[in-house]
Amino acid sequence: MSNHEIHAAWKYHDGTKHSYWSIREHPHLLDWANRPQPFKIYPEVEPLPLPRDVPQTGVTALSAISEPAPSSWADSVPGLPDLARLLYFSAGITKQRAYPGGEIYFRAAACTGALYEIELYVVTGDLPGLDAGVYHFNPVDVSLRLLRKGDFRRNLAQATAMEPAVAQAPATIICTGTYWRNSWKYQARTYRHFGWDNGTLLANMLAVSAASGLPAEIVLGFVDAEVNRLLDLDTRREVSLCLVPIGHTSESSLPATKEAPALGLETIPLSQHEIEYPAMLEMHDASSLASAEEVAQWRGKPPVVQCAPLAAGAVLLRRLPEEEQPKDTIEQVILRRGSTRTFDKAASITLAQLSTIFHCATRGLPADFLKPPGEQLNDLYLIVHAVQGLKPGAYFFRRDQDALELLKEGEFRAQAHHLGLEQELPADACVDIFFLADLKRILEQYGNRGYRAVQLEAGAIGGRIYLAAYAQHLGATGLTFFDDDVISFFSPHARDKSAIFLLAIGKPLKRKPQ
Ligand SMILES: Cc1cc2nc3c(=O)[nH]c(=O)nc-3n(C[C@H](O)[C@H](O)[C@H](O)COP(=O)(O)O)c2cc1C
């Protein structure tokens, strides 16, 4: 199916909506005995340990998130410590907790259900301390495993229609999604989670890359089959989601493309048996790009711009002055982050804290589908419960004006409880941020691939919000939602939009000493 047959994305989106009735009529019981392994293990490939004592960047989290990516005109080549820092603070194990069925290894970025379906690979030329090759990153022993020896960067560059950031990158990280690891719990909705969970991870990766002085960007335009072949993926189980070129070199002479035959490397099965959800395979197939020509054409889309006068009474966002901003480094904040499990319902945050979060998170992502930089596919809508300086109510964020327009005033904790799948978290938070998008316009412009883009962008902005909240010692959590009820709540303003993502911010409830 072609990328332009967009009924495929609508079919998937509509078919995976949550509603009050859908979760009651189709309850899903978890088969704990068949719980998937959270790691991809190549038992026969020797590990190449990455350095663990990597120097801290010393860069504050808030500036790492919000500063534009370092410009790519100067040469910047990551060394092994840079690569180790990037991989560890994106996907490394940061905490470990026992639960009745075993152990949960929590990772650097938030992930639905702590199921960690995103894998990282590196395609590199010769770097200081690392030979050219295609590697897989294993967070268990913080090491790389060599899958292919040699420089395959031209293969990758060609798959992106010679996207300059990839063609001139000394190394590119590839993020993949493993269906079963997440669909064990979330069934066919996992394809949305691919974007969300890959996005939160990318927020970390881009921030750490910026803090390391290395240019990086998200590349979503590539010939799927070629990248999957390079990584030797079994595409019924695992697929490439995006590329992140790291660094820049003026060296224009990439080596010739190389044959990439099947590797046949053994990997440990994730579960005793796996269940396949055809809706996701169809969605992936329909949003795949088949040739470099199609990639080039896809990437050349004009931006989606909207302008309207600012509503009377809109509140301008004023972030914390530089000298009052918390100075914790990006590494400290990533290590501290962990989704809030209970918010303090009696707490409030300040407008300056909220403004600082919005300032950091919505500066525009460096991504090939957002050129010129600064565009955004998702619109942000808020339910404000307890923000000093803001009336409780529903708001629309005007990114072009850095302002909040009041849509309706009122106490909406009960509604937030319902919209966030009847969980306490969105009711008890200080503010809930809903990501809504004009899917019709996005799909018309980008085809089915636009569906991947809008979910991924939401996850990445959500990931930045997490970091900006934790940098200010606040709490946050991603949430899921009743799709159509969210749209009804924010209508008529949101009438023609679709619900994409939800995140709550507040203050974690401090447990009383026993
Ligand atoms: C997109 C997204 C949606 C999430 N949805 C929920 C949710 O509906 N309810 C919940 O309690 N936690 C939710 N979480 C939090 C995850 O359960 C949490 O990230 C995971 O357990 C890993 O823990 P950590 O974030 O503390 O590292 C969500 C996280 C993300 C990234």
Side-chain angles (χ1 to χ4, degrees):
M1 193 182 290
S2 116
N3 184 45
H4 286 288
E5 294 175 49
I6 59 171
H7 60 88
W10 282 117
K11 183 177 165 206
Y12 175 78
H13 185 71
D14 291 338
T16 55
K17 281 181 177 174
H18 274 331
S19 72
Y20 180 83
W21 291 111
S22 73
I23 58 167
R24 281 169 177 75
E25 283 166 4
H26 309 286
H28 176 55
L29 295 178
L30 295 180
D31 179 0
W32 286 98
N34 200 36
R35 186 174 197 257
Q37 292 295 330
F39 305 107
K40 183 173 190 181
I41 308 285
Y42 291 91
E44 291 168 344
V45 186
E46 282 298 306
L48 289 166
L50 287 164
R52 297 194 185 207
D53 51 351
V54 174
Q56 294 253 330
T57 61
V59 176
T60 69
L62 292 179
S63 57
I65 312 162
S66 58
E67 297 291 314
S71 61
S72 57
W73 50 266
D75 272 13
S76 47
V77 177
L80 202 53
D82 294 310
L83 216 48
R85 186 187 300 117
L86 275 167
L87 296 167
Y88 176 75
F89 286 102
S90 303
I93 298 169
T94 51
K95 286 180 213 110
Q96 188 174 334
R97 209 164 292 149
Y99 80 107
E103 203 75 19
I104 299 188
Y105 298 94
F106 288 91
R107 313 269 284 268
C111 180
T112 50
L115 291 164
Y116 305 112
E117 74 276 15
I118 307 300
E119 296 287 335
L120 299 182
Y121 299 79
V122 186
V123 175
T124 178
D126 282 329
L127 296 182
L130 188 68
D131 291 341
V134 177
Y135 296 88
H136 172 253
F137 171 62
N138 183 340
V140 180
D141 54 7
V142 198
S143 57
L144 295 174
R145 279 171 176 72
L146 181 67
L147 307 183
R148 294 186 194 277
K149 195 171 158 51
D151 192 341
F152 286 84
R153 285 178 303 151
R154 185 177 286 276
N155 296 48
L156 206 54
Q158 283 191 348
T160 66
M162 300 310 277
E163 157 70 37
V166 177
Q168 297 176 333
T172 293
I173 297 175
I174 304 176
C175 307
T176 69
T178 303
Y179 293 108
W180 171 243
R181 208 178 282 144
N182 192 270
S183 62
W184 168 74
K185 180 169 183 184
Y186 298 104
Q187 300 169 284
R189 207 166 145 102
T190 282
Y191 204 79
R192 300 185 186 210
H193 294 209
F194 274 1
W196 303 350
D197 296 331
N198 192 177
T200 57
L201 185 152
L202 288 170
N204 287 21
M205 193 181 285
L206 293 174
V208 173
S209 188
S212 309
L214 293 163
E217 75 170 68
I218 304 167
V219 174
L220 201 61
F222 57 89
V223 181
D224 295 77
E226 287 181 18
V227 176
N228 291 337
R229 190 175 318 120
L230 185 62
L231 303 181
D232 198 36
L233 303 182
D234 171 356
T235 55
R236 293 188 84 107
R237 296 195 160 87
E238 182 184 1
V239 286
S240 301
L241 299 176
C242 77
L243 278 49
V244 186
I246 305 287
H248 178 266
T249 165
S250 51
E251 173 205 353
S252 55
S253 55
L254 284 173
T257 50
K258 290 185 167 44
E259 282 294 307
L263 295 170
L265 292 170
E266 188 195 336
T267 57
I268 305 273
L270 297 181
S271 290
Q272 283 157 10
H273 65 272
E274 299 186 10
I275 299 167
E276 196 172 78
Y277 292 91
M280 294 199 282
L281 303 193
E282 282 165 25
M283 179 62 220
H284 188 75
D285 187 43
S287 59
S288 290
L289 302 175
S291 66
E293 293 70 41
E294 193 181 2
V295 169
Q297 209 186 13
W298 180 82
R299 194 177 286 125
K301 297 294 173 205
V304 183
V305 188
Q306 269 184 324
C307 282
L310 195 60
V315 180
L316 296 181
L317 295 183
R318 298 265 180 263
R319 70 195 137 118
L320 284 168
E322 188 75 35
E323 61 283 5
E324 289 177 30
Q325 289 185 9
K327 298 285 180 268
D328 290 350
T329 63
I330 183 66
E331 291 97 328
Q332 287 169 322
V333 170
I334 289 176
L335 293 178
R336 183 161 78 220
R337 191 212 60 78
S339 298
T340 303
R341 299 295 80 199
T342 314
F343 284 114
D344 182 353
K345 204 175 174 174
S348 61
I349 64 170
T350 66
L351 183 56
Q353 287 175 318
L354 182 66
S355 306
T356 304
I357 291 172
F358 271 71
H359 173 81
C360 290
T362 63
R363 287 310 88 193
L365 285 173
D368 64 343
F369 57 92
L370 298 171
K371 296 254 167 92
E375 296 306 321
Q376 196 173 291
L377 304 179
N378 283 275
D379 294 326
L380 304 187
Y381 288 74
L382 291 75
I383 300 183
V384 170
H385 305 303
V387 178
Q388 295 157 39
L390 276 182
K391 293 174 186 154
Y395 289 83
F396 175 62
F397 174 54
R398 282 293 300 272
R399 208 169 68 92
D400 54 336
Q401 307 277 343
D402 240 348
L404 293 178
E405 292 177 336
L406 182 64
L407 302 179
K408 53 185 172 188
E409 197 181 327
E411 295 280 352
F412 294 122
R413 286 194 190 268
Q415 288 83 346
H417 173 263
H418 171 74
L419 297 178
L421 230 68
E422 301 183 309
Q423 299 179 83
E424 301 303 326
L425 287 160
D428 296 346
C430 294
V431 53
D432 300 310
I433 305 172
F434 292 81
F435 292 56
L436 272 55
D438 185 344
L439 212 45
K440 185 165 178 290
R441 204 158 42 97
I442 292 167
L443 295 180
E444 272 164 12
Q445 204 160 9
Y446 294 89
N448 294 317
R449 193 76 155 204
Y451 194 71
R452 294 195 203 177
V454 74
Q455 301 288 3
L456 188 77
E457 184 200 75
I461 296 170
R464 284 182 162 180
I465 294 178
Y466 257 109
L467 295 174
Y470 280 82
Q472 300 183 80
H473 294 272
L474 302 174
T477 185
L479 290 164
T480 193
F481 45 83
F482 291 140
D483 289 76
D484 290 344
D485 294 351
V486 170
I487 301 304
S488 303
F489 178 81
F490 288 108
S491 286
H493 194 285
R495 196 175 37 226
D496 296 322
K497 297 186 184 172
S498 300
I500 302 294
F501 190 87
L502 168 58
L503 201 126
I505 301 170
K507 289 194 175 155
L509 187 68
K510 293 209 175 69
R511 291 186 203 289
K512 293 199 179 80
Q514 301 277 334

